[in-house]
């Protein structure tokens, strides 16, 4: 018997300078598109450690996790389980690394049109709507 279990993935929302940190993808899928820093959880890695590692590898930022925002699947035959985290910058300076060709913090009115994943677009939109309500 073969189990087709979903692969666990993290994606992290890191507010910075009134915006949200996004990375420009260096590799497929969606090369050249922007998305939240994230990636696959490694064997025996705690999901929060994975989120912190992926953010550091892709952005140069060390973070502290605030909380888990949610867990979902994208559907349409993509077999991953995405854990979305909210974090804050603890240390470091933004610089593209690993599989990112660029990194920047975007305010709501500056967001690029080419956000890679539907669920990333939704989480980014929800984040800015919540920030607007808090103000």
């Amino acid at each position: 018997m073969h189990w087709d279990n979903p692969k666990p993935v993290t994606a992290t929302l890191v507010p910075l300078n009134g915006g949200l940190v996004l990375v420009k993808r260096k590799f497929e899928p969606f090369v050249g598109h922007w998305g939240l820093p994230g990636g696959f959880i490694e064997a025996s890695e705690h999901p929060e450690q994975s989120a912190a590692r992926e953010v550091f590898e892709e952005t140069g930022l060390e973070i502290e996790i605030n909380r888990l925002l949610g867990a979902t699947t994208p559907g349409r035959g993509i077999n991953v389980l995405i854990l979305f985290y909210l974090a804050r910058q603890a240390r470091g300076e933004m610089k593209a690394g690993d599989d990112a060709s660029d990194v920047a913090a975007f305010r709501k009115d500056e967001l690029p049109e080419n956000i890679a994943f539907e669920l990333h677009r939704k989480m980014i939109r929800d984040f800015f709507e919540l920030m607007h309500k808090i103000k």
Side-chain angles (χ1 to χ4, degrees):
M1 179 177 286
H2 172 71
W3 300 99
D4 187 20
N5 297 328
K7 298 193 179 353
V9 172
T10 62
T12 304
L13 289 84
V14 183
L16 187 65
N17 302 327
L20 197 58
V21 175
L22 300 179
V23 294
K24 189 179 236 182
R25 297 178 58 81
K26 191 187 293 185
F27 303 111
E28 293 294 345
F30 297 107
V31 66
H33 286 63
W34 293 87
L36 297 167
F40 292 102
I41 298 173
E42 294 179 356
S44 300
E45 186 177 40
H46 188 281
E48 289 186 6
Q49 291 173 322
S50 172
R53 175 184 53 77
E54 287 288 348
V55 169
F56 180 73
E57 288 176 358
E58 295 180 0
T59 72
L61 299 176
E62 294 180 43
I63 60 166
E64 292 178 2
I65 300 292
N66 290 341
R67 66 186 183 103
L68 176 67
L69 295 173
T72 189
T73 61
R76 297 180 314 283
I78 301 169
N79 198 12
V80 297
L81 172 66
I82 306 171
L83 304 174
F84 286 97
Y85 285 97
L86 177 64
R88 70 171 193 82
Q89 177 193 12
R91 291 173 291 288
E93 292 183 30
M94 255 192 328
K95 63 178 187 275
D98 196 41
D99 57 357
S101 63
D102 198 3
V103 61
F106 293 94
R107 296 178 188 271
K108 181 180 180 180
D109 60 343
E110 303 169 331
L111 286 169
E113 292 290 321
N114 60 338
I115 306 272
F117 304 103
E118 181 181 330
L119 287 174
H120 286 213
R121 287 191 298 273
K122 180 189 179 319
M123 291 302 290
I124 292 165
R125 183 176 57 247
D126 290 353
F127 169 81
F128 282 113
E129 285 177 9
L130 178 62
M131 292 300 102
H132 179 72
K133 288 178 184 176
I134 291 174
K135 287 185 177 184

